[in-house]
Amino acid sequence: MSVNNKYEAVIGLEVHAQMLTKTKAYSNDINEYGANPNTNVSVISLGHPGTLPVMNKKTIEYAIRLGLACESNIAPYQYFARKNYFYPDLPKGYQITQDKTPICTGGHIFIKTDDGNEKEIGITRIHMEEDAGKSIHDVDVYDTLVDLNRAGTPLLEIVSEPDLKTSQEAYNYLTEVRKLLRYLDICDGNMEEGSMRCDANVSVMLKGSKVFGTKVEVKNMNSIRNVQRAIEFEISRQIEQIEKGEAIAQETRGFDALKGITISQRTKEAANDYRYFPEPDLQPITVSKEQIETVRETMPALPRDLFFKYINELGLSSYDAQVLTDTKSIALYFEEVIQTTKNYKGAANFVMGDVKSFLNNRSIEIEDFPIPAKHIGLLVNIIDEGKVSTSAASQKLFPLMVENPAVEPLTLAEQNNLIQESDENSLITYIQQVINENPVETERYKNGEKQLLGLFMGKLMKVSGGKADPKLANQLLRTTLDNL
Ligand code: ADP
Ligand code: MG
């Protein structure tokens, strides 16, 4: 659309990630999704007067992990603040959050752009805070129900710089954030269950302008795809409005996934509406260099590091490296496979092909996959050694390995008569038999119909019971026929 070429969008995302701690941020209440309503609620979650919050140390460790992964600065001294507002699912009447001293500032997350390059998205800040309870409007006809199980769940809020330019970049950014949270084991990244949520800040301006337009904040998206749809709608809506000569109101809008539109909810409140002040019931926290180093030592491998390792050290294509690192458990499985084989491309093919389609067909995760990674490595090796053919490995041996996960593939191949013939003498015998049984074709081949080689190959595989090593057999067959 020509009008869209006049404008460009500016997008910044705020992601809330529920941390996978056993207990809540400031109490011993259990932190779990899906429990019966109002069962994980002590007097602290209920905000009774006179109760005191106690800091959950694990949340600090998780925040440092994410900060290290994003190469952020980690603040040595922090204190908490009260953000005051009234809401039925916020019993204390305020949220404990980090206002002036977020645990992480700066840093970046790398995303893929539409043309396949890498782009750095700046991180403004990452801070710790607590979640509110849940108001449920659609279960009771007359009343709103309140479930306070979620109240006090520890959150990390990740605020990006306004570096994103398209809805696709926003989609890619959220995919990377979710991947990172999952690799770091600090959040399950499940947007449908609300354990990862995203507010999208969107504005438009004339192309090339240095001054950002007024931003609108869009909430209520329950999937990465819906964030993308909401942003697309919002960009078009804002452009239309500006083209009509109307100003954009700074407001919060909700996304209606069924209609694919955003709807005005409220005009944006200013920060001073919240009357932030330092939380008097929690000690300030200090993070020492030693503490950071201790966390650094226990950091798992990160998807981007593995991606570059697969390309630079293993010689895999960027497509393969991408597929293998998309999911942490697949990457870890592949890491184990390559402990037993040096044929990295062969191992990648097997994991991305046979293993992944098996998982897809059965709708299971790799955690429930029966074949130990080591055996996939051994399988790749015996294919390379010519002991089994690629097709026998995929079609016959692989299913047997699924049924007999404790048995090594070579043993299974021997027990089931799948070892291919790469002994020249027995191959010559088969070749002789095929030539004797097909005198007409042999004559035609001798007269120049070289394309009959395929037919001879087919017959040879048949008389060998599918066990002839196809590469070697093909070579021997050709020389034998050519020398007749
Ligand atoms: P607020 O105080 O309203 O929450 P912030 O300045 O903290 O606003 O920014 C919140 C988010 O909005 C950040 O992710 C930031 O990158 C993004 N943002 C800021 N200005 C704009 C803009 N003009 N257009 C789009 N996004 C913006
Ligand atoms: Mg905000």
Side-chain angles (χ1 to χ4, degrees), residues 421 426-438 455-468 473 477:
E421 298 272 9
S426 47
L427 287 178
I428 297 281
T429 318
Y430 294 138
I431 291 170
Q432 217 46 64
Q433 184 186 341
V434 172
I435 290 174
N436 293 343
E437 286 172 2
N438 299 279
L455 177 131
F456 283 105
M457 233 350 249
K459 294 195 185 287
L460 187 148
M461 288 312 283
K462 210 170 194 174
V463 295
S464 75
K467 289 191 299 172
L477 184 65

Side-chain angles (χ1 to χ4, degrees), residues 41 135 147 217 249 292 310 456:
V41 286
S135 295
D147 176 7
E217 185 168 344
I292 296 174
Y310 293 171
F456 283 105

Side-chain angles (χ1 to χ4, degrees), residues 9-14 122 124-125 157-164 199-204 211-217 250 268-269 271:
V10 173
I11 304 157
L13 301 181
E14 294 166 272
T124 314
R125 57 186 279 156
E157 178 169 341
I158 308 153
V159 182
S160 86
E161 289 289 298
D163 289 344
L164 300 155
D199 303 337
N201 299 272
V202 185
S203 67
V204 297
V211 188
F212 290 173
T214 305
K215 77 172 155 72
V216 167
E217 185 168 344
Q250 175 154 355
K268 179 81 185 170
E269 52 290 281

Side-chain angles (χ1 to χ4, degrees), residues 37 43 86 106 148 159 179 218 262 265 283 318 335 363 365 379 392 416 424 436-437 441 449 467:
V43 286
F86 172 79
L148 291 175
V159 182
K179 204 195 287 181
V218 191
T262 65
Q265 289 182 328
Q283 298 267 7
S318 73
E335 285 286 294
S363 297
E365 302 294 326
L379 178 62
N416 292 277
E424 293 205 10
N436 293 343
E437 286 172 2
E441 287 77 7
E449 288 188 55
K467 289 191 299 172

